[in-house]
Amino acid sequence: MNLQRLARGDLHEVVASGRIDGEGANQLEGALGEAMTEGAKQIHVILSGATFISSPGLRALLQGWRNMQTRGGSLYVVDPSLEASMLLNTSGFQGMVLQKA
Amino acid sequence: MGTTLPPVQLRLRGQPGERAEVVQGFEAFCREGNVPRVVANAADVALEEHLTNVLGYGYEPGAAHEVVVELRIDGGCLHMEVRDDGKSFNPLTLPDPDISLPLEEKPIGGLGLHLIRHLMDEVSYARVDERNVFRMKKRLAA
């Protein structure tokens, strides 16, 4: 998995691409934690290049979403790939996906 | 769409790098069998989830083990059979989590088995010759 992080003021973008398996989920969790530590008010997890995501990746997203809610912030999945969309929908995570206007 | 292809067996015995080899073997099989992308991805997730459960809960830490994955295309379906010599356990006895709950209340655990059940068209379990045998089947056509 490849992971990139970009901070634009209060908005932090985490771009996760490739295979988000158990090991990838740990990296994603770490990146989300770092963004929160750095004071992100909003986190966008961009999954357009995610070719695979399984339950540990979904758990990392859910935990991150809850942590941001607790802090009064928000976390959204942005532009999920076909593979990521299938998993998010099958798991009832649609509410986490940022809908384009 | 799927073509005639001999079955493939992949083995896990606790050696470094095996999981990556299984992924590579699975991807190569799907490529050679012209398995549609959506089907291959669903099966990839289901196989990953089951192997994670077997290796995480089926054995004592550090215990010797042998897990055999067989991939086969037959009758317009992708068949995956996983045989392991771990503790006797039928995962299909576990309840499905309630995924209709809002994100605030959604359970953190149990998603793996939910994904297997919902991404595959058929799943079954048997205990045969002191081994757990878990079969998953996915139609190649929508």
Side-chain angles (χ1 to χ4, degrees):
Chain A
M1 184 186 78
N2 291 316
L3 203 57
Q4 288 182 310
R5 209 155 57 78
L6 181 66
R8 293 179 180 163
D10 290 343
L11 170 64
H12 288 227
E13 289 182 345
V14 176
V15 184
S17 54
R19 191 176 180 89
I20 309 174
D21 53 13
E23 190 181 321
N26 290 338
Q27 293 175 42
L28 176 59
E29 193 176 353
L32 297 178
E34 286 170 15
M36 289 177 216
T37 302
E38 291 173 15
K41 297 280 190 292
Q42 192 173 31
I43 298 177
H44 285 178
V45 182
I46 299 167
L47 294 182
S48 55
T51 56
F52 175 97
I53 184 166
S54 53
S55 61
L58 295 175
R59 280 196 289 274
L61 290 171
L62 182 57
Q63 195 59 56
W65 186 90
R66 286 181 177 164
N67 290 342
M68 286 301 286
Q69 292 281 308
T70 302
R71 292 162 181 256
S74 62
L75 179 149
Y76 288 104
V77 170
V78 177
D79 197 16
S81 63
L82 176 71
E83 290 84 355
S85 286
M86 180 173 72
L87 268 285
L88 291 163
N89 292 339
T90 302
S91 306
F93 280 48
Q94 298 95 322
M96 199 182 284
V97 179
L98 185 66
Q99 302 299 326
K100 291 176 181 169
Chain B
M1 202 53 65
T3 56
T4 305
L5 192 66
V8 164
Q9 283 196 349
L10 308 163
R11 289 173 192 274
L12 292 154
R13 292 188 172 116
Q15 301 302 310
E18 281 180 341
R19 289 294 292 273
E21 288 172 13
V22 167
V23 171
Q24 289 165 9
F26 175 85
E27 289 175 347
F29 181 83
C30 289
R31 241 186 347 263
E32 289 168 28
N34 293 318
V35 175
R37 176 183 167 193
V38 172
V39 174
N41 182 252
D44 192 2
V45 172
L47 182 59
E48 169 89 8
E49 296 291 352
H50 184 63
L51 289 178
T52 297
N53 288 339
V54 167
L55 296 171
Y57 303 110
Y59 299 91
E60 296 300 329
H65 61 263
E66 182 179 66
V67 181
V68 180
V69 178
E70 183 170 299
L71 306 172
R72 181 167 55 86
I73 292 174
D74 186 24
C77 294
L78 171 63
H79 299 258
M80 302 188 292
E81 181 178 288
V82 180
R83 297 190 296 275
D84 72 78
D85 56 358
K87 297 170 197 167
S88 175
F89 179 64
N90 177 1
L92 300 178
T93 59
L94 295 176
D96 228 14
D98 183 358
I99 63 148
S100 69
L101 290 170
L103 292 170
E104 295 87 343
E105 300 168 28
K106 204 177 282 296
I108 289 278
L111 270 178
L113 187 58
H114 165 80
L115 291 175
I116 293 171
R117 281 181 167 132
H118 289 265
L119 293 175
M120 295 292 97
D121 291 315
E122 283 182 39
V123 291
S124 66
Y125 168 87
R127 182 77 178 167
V128 180
D129 295 334
E130 302 296 312
R131 287 172 188 267
N132 298 301
V133 181
F134 194 69
R135 295 187 179 97
M136 297 174 275
K137 179 174 161 183
K138 180 78 174 170
R139 284 189 295 276
L140 297 176

